[in-house]
Amino acid sequence: MSQKKPILNQFMQSPKALPALPAIVLAAGRAQRMGANKLLARFAGEYLIQRVVRRLHEAAVQPIVVVTGHEAERIHAALAAEPIQWAHNPNYAQGLASSLKVGIQALPEDALGVLVMLGDMPEIDVNHLNDLAEEFFRHQGQCVVQPITAGQGGNPCILPKALFPAVQQLTGDVGAKALFAHATIPIVQVVMGTEVLVDVDTPTALHEAGGYLK
């Protein structure tokens, strides 16, 4: 994580030096296993969804599109002070694929690709995000970028624009990883820590990650 990132350093000095790499935050699900809206769990004084969006703002991704569905009004309220773009998925009950499609459709036309971020990953930080973005730009946006730890693929991942049409064919409760097995475009795997596997789908997982729900 401490390696220099020459491409992103150039971006930070001149944001127009690179094509747009936006981020989609998937924040539409019902969190049925949790029994409450896990994105509104508290972590060190802030909502989980706030933590996720704040760390994206610190990274080399722009703009940030938050896809809402279940309890959209509460997510809007939690992020009221954040400079983000919104996309609402009225069909969120159909599963993750429907939200991913809505997010892709909301991206700017000049997007080179997109970083797909789950809204319930509290341990992802700016270093993870920028390491992934650096590899994407190093390959000129012509690859999938996926974090991996101990041989297991994690999240978030970056999809190139070439895969956007394939996203529109996904159905049910599947995400971008469903495309990887049959992708003809290169998949670049970046070795990271176990943080890329940590989400909070259950009360136990939430507690172990340091969060709590009121």
Side-chain angles (χ1 to χ4, degrees):
M1 295 273 181
S2 61
Q3 294 179 348
K4 293 183 179 179
K5 305 178 183 65
I7 298 176
L8 295 190
N9 288 341
Q10 178 188 16
F11 172 79
M12 294 303 184
Q13 294 171 7
S14 178
K16 294 184 179 180
L18 294 173
L21 176 59
I24 294 171
V25 182
L26 300 177
R30 292 175 290 179
Q32 291 175 302
R33 283 185 286 175
M34 183 67 72
N37 196 328
K38 59 186 175 181
L39 302 185
L40 299 176
R42 305 292 286 190
F43 282 81
E46 63 183 346
Y47 294 119
L48 174 54
I49 190 63
Q50 285 179 302
R51 170 179 286 206
V52 168
V53 168
R54 174 173 57 80
R55 289 176 174 174
L56 285 167
H57 278 308
E58 295 170 353
V61 293
Q62 59 178 4
I64 298 168
V65 178
V66 177
V67 182
T68 60
H70 177 63
E71 296 189 337
E73 297 84 359
R74 297 184 69 194
I75 301 298
H76 274 264
L79 297 175
E82 299 291 341
I84 55 179
Q85 297 180 17
W86 296 98
H88 183 68
N89 176 18
N91 301 313
Y92 64 88
Q94 295 179 4
L96 190 63
S98 64
S99 292
L100 186 56
K101 291 178 187 180
V102 168
I104 292 289
Q105 292 166 357
L107 297 178
E109 291 186 4
D110 64 345
L112 185 63
V114 64
L115 186 144
V116 181
M117 183 75 193
L118 304 180
D120 64 347
M121 300 194 73
E123 297 188 12
I124 299 299
D125 64 22
V126 65
N127 292 313
H128 298 107
L129 298 168
N130 280 345
D131 282 352
L132 295 171
E134 177 77 11
E135 286 302 315
F136 185 70
F137 286 121
R138 190 188 308 279
H139 290 82
Q140 301 180 333
Q142 302 302 309
C143 66
V144 170
V145 182
Q146 180 188 30
I148 188 170
T149 182
Q152 185 174 352
N155 285 297
C157 62
I158 301 178
L159 302 180
K161 191 171 188 176
L163 285 185
F164 287 3
V167 169
Q168 300 304 317
Q169 304 305 313
L170 295 175
T171 59
D173 199 27
V174 299
K177 288 182 182 179
L179 302 173
F180 296 176
H182 305 291
T184 57
I185 198 164
I187 298 177
V188 176
Q189 294 182 322
V190 182
V191 177
M192 294 185 171
T194 57
E195 299 90 353
V196 301
L197 303 179
V198 176
D199 57 23
V200 289
D201 281 341
T202 66
T204 298
L206 177 65
H207 176 74
E208 291 177 349
Y212 68 94
L213 274 164
K214 291 184 177 180

